[in-house]
Amino acid sequence: MTRLAQIAQQLDKLQQRIEAAASTAGRNADEIQLLAVSKTRPAEDLQAAITAGQTRFGESYLQEALEKINALSHLRCEWHFIGPCQSNKTAAIATAFGWVHSIDRIKIAQRLNDQRTSNQRLNICLQVNISKEASKSGIEPSELPALAEAVAAMPRLHLRGLMALPAAEADFDKQRAAFAQVRGLFNDLHSRGHQLDTLSMGMSHDMEAAIMEGATLVRIGTDIFGQRPDKHKPSA
Ligand SMILES: *Cc1c(COP(=O)(O)O)cnc(C)c1O
């Protein structure tokens, strides 16, 4: 099988998984977007996914991401930055990406706002750190309302929702419990008047649980492109 056929088949299987999970959750599969997490993958793999109809890509490592964005600039893609976002990366991220999922500090949001020159606002998800998150990133739930308030007031940013990256967990009910916490925080921001439409949660191993708890965007790498050879951890 060619690489293109392989990737097309994986995308197809994923769409079926999303539909099955949505159906179990009593939801419409159209509410759930697939973000293909393409960190560490060569541009050829992304090209294959694009040929198979995929348009949204998530990247974590700025330098390789910029190379791919440049190589594929003649194609219509939506680029999401999902990795740790430090000050020295904000200028490039604000220019090259349409979305950032990993905002957990006002200072970084402010820099992105100041450095965004496009007419279109930069879409933002705030990363929350729930129960023993795998990485140290993410804002504490108690500090979330203040961060949301600050980001919502920045004119070149568009606050869209929340992102979470819970610790790897094999048990389905425990996966759900973690995602339910994120949904609770999402609902809380809604009740404070924020108009949010994006709940970015669920990866290859816990996508079904995330969809049960209301995910509107799942971030999938391994189950599209195969195991990452270099064992990069999520968000490392
Ligand atoms: C790598 C990564 C993913 C994808 O993980 P898979 O297990 O390969 O599906 C999702 N989200 C974030 C933030 C990541 O860093």
Side-chain angles (χ1 to χ4, degrees):
M1 207 192 293
T2 65
R3 185 70 178 142
L4 169 57
Q6 209 172 42
I7 289 172
Q9 187 180 67
Q10 289 308 110
L11 284 168
D12 212 53
K13 277 195 206 162
L14 258 174
Q15 199 50 46
Q16 287 170 28
R17 267 174 73 191
I18 291 172
E19 277 162 29
S23 158
T24 306
R27 301 180 57 200
N28 189 334
D30 295 349
E31 297 166 17
I32 302 152
Q33 300 183 332
L34 173 60
L35 182 69
V37 176
S38 46
K39 63 187 180 201
T40 79
R41 315 294 180 175
E44 292 72 29
D45 276 13
L46 285 79
Q47 174 85 64
I50 294 166
T51 303
Q54 179 65 28
T55 53
R56 293 182 190 89
F57 294 92
E59 291 280 341
S60 303
Y61 309 108
L62 183 59
Q63 207 46 51
E64 61 154 280
L66 294 176
E67 283 164 27
K68 286 180 258 183
I69 291 171
N70 191 37
L72 300 168
S73 63
H74 57 294
L75 300 167
R76 214 167 223 290
C77 306
E78 189 177 275
W79 298 99
H80 295 234
F81 190 79
I82 62 173
C85 192
Q86 293 100 4
S87 296
N88 62 350
K89 299 184 189 168
T90 54
I93 291 171
T95 307
F97 285 82
W99 285 73
V100 182
H101 290 230
S102 42
I103 294 303
D104 58 5
R105 281 178 290 162
I106 291 179
K107 182 186 147 196
I108 297 295
Q110 187 68 58
R111 288 178 66 92
L112 291 170
N113 179 71
D114 296 346
Q115 291 164 336
R116 181 76 169 173
T117 51
S118 160
N119 287 330
Q120 283 174 340
R121 290 184 291 169
L122 181 61
N123 296 295
I124 299 290
C125 290
L126 305 178
Q127 184 175 354
V128 285
N129 191 340
I130 42 141
S131 57
K132 301 192 212 103
E133 192 168 296
S135 76
K136 292 277 188 297
S137 324
I139 187 153
E140 291 299 315
S142 62
E143 296 168 28
L144 183 58
L147 179 62
E149 193 79 12
V151 171
M154 296 181 189
R156 310 199 80 81
L157 304 186
H158 186 183
L159 180 60
R160 299 295 294 267
L162 299 181
M163 188 273 255
L165 181 61
E169 166 63 62
D171 181 77
F172 185 74
D173 293 328
K174 288 183 184 158
Q175 292 176 356
R176 272 192 74 169
F179 291 130
Q181 280 186 53
V182 185
R183 182 167 46 93
L185 296 168
F186 184 81
N187 292 342
D188 177 61
L189 290 181
H190 254 282
S191 66
R192 292 171 187 266
H194 295 287
Q195 303 286 319
L196 306 178
D197 60 11
T198 304
L199 203 37
S200 164
M201 57 188 197
M203 318 201 311
S204 294
H205 71 283
D206 57 11
M207 183 187 93
E208 278 80 3
I211 289 174
M212 285 302 288
E213 296 300 336
T216 67
L217 182 149
V218 291
R219 308 180 311 267
I220 310 292
T222 308
D223 284 357
I224 298 173
F225 300 109
Q227 209 72 30
R228 277 180 293 279
D230 50 3
K231 295 263 194 303
H232 269 303
K233 288 203 188 111
S235 192

